[in-house]
Amino acid sequence: MCRNFSPWAGRRAGRQAAGLSRSGRGHAGGMPTVAIIGASPKPDRYSHQAVLGYLKRGYTVHPVNPAGEAVAGLAAFRTLAEVPGLPDIITMYVNPTTGLGLLDQIVAKRPKALWLNPGADGEPLASAARAAGLHVVEACNLVALSYGDPLDRI
């Protein structure tokens, strides 16, 4: 039986033993960060629900949308390049062609994971991101958040 199996069970203990934060970036006590590309101010959109889900998990959330519209009360950034620092996770809610055009900005942010949600996943984005050295996860963020901290999967 797989009752106790969780696909998101992971490496939290190893990071804690090494003195790292949940972000794995050595910021002891720091909050993990996520940039959500394609974040929508419309509450019925999955990207909006992801913003709320990451907030609930204690993440610092940076919504990114070209209109710069606030999302769930958070100021949004028009481009990924405007997001401060290095997000632990960059998650995509845009089509793969748009994502491919953002790949240079994503690589520059050096995330622990590039999360490609359904509709944002696919080729040639996934292969190009892997070739650039990124850890690519092709799965639904909302499902991952329902199991726990997505960083535990990485």
Side-chain angles (χ1 to χ4, degrees), residues 22 31-36 39-41 43 46-64 70-77 89 91 93 141-142 144-146 148-151:
R22 288 173 52 196
M31 299 305 296
T33 60
V34 60
I36 300 178
S40 173
Y46 292 130
S47 62
H48 187 94
Q49 294 169 27
V51 169
L52 299 176
Y54 276 106
L55 287 171
K56 184 177 177 181
R57 289 265 171 220
Y59 277 69
T60 298
V61 177
H62 300 295
V64 179
V71 179
L74 300 173
F77 298 89
I89 297 172
T91 183
Y93 285 92
N141 255 172
L142 299 177
L145 287 164
S146 75
D149 185 348
L151 281 175

Side-chain angles (χ1 to χ4, degrees), residues 63-116:
V64 179
N65 66 54
E69 296 177 84
V71 179
L74 300 173
F77 298 89
R78 292 181 187 275
T79 68
L80 181 59
E82 295 173 7
V83 171
L86 303 174
D88 294 294
I89 297 172
I90 295 175
T91 183
M92 306 284 284
Y93 285 92
V94 296
N95 69 58
T97 304
T98 301
L100 191 59
L102 298 171
L103 191 56
D104 288 341
Q105 289 182 49
I106 294 166
V107 169
K109 290 292 185 179
R110 302 188 326 261
K112 291 187 67 63
L114 172 61
W115 207 284
L116 302 178

Side-chain angles (χ1 to χ4, degrees), residues 111-135:
K112 291 187 67 63
L114 172 61
W115 207 284
L116 302 178
N117 291 281
D121 57 348
E123 298 303 332
L125 177 57
S127 294
R130 286 185 180 100
L134 297 174
H135 177 79

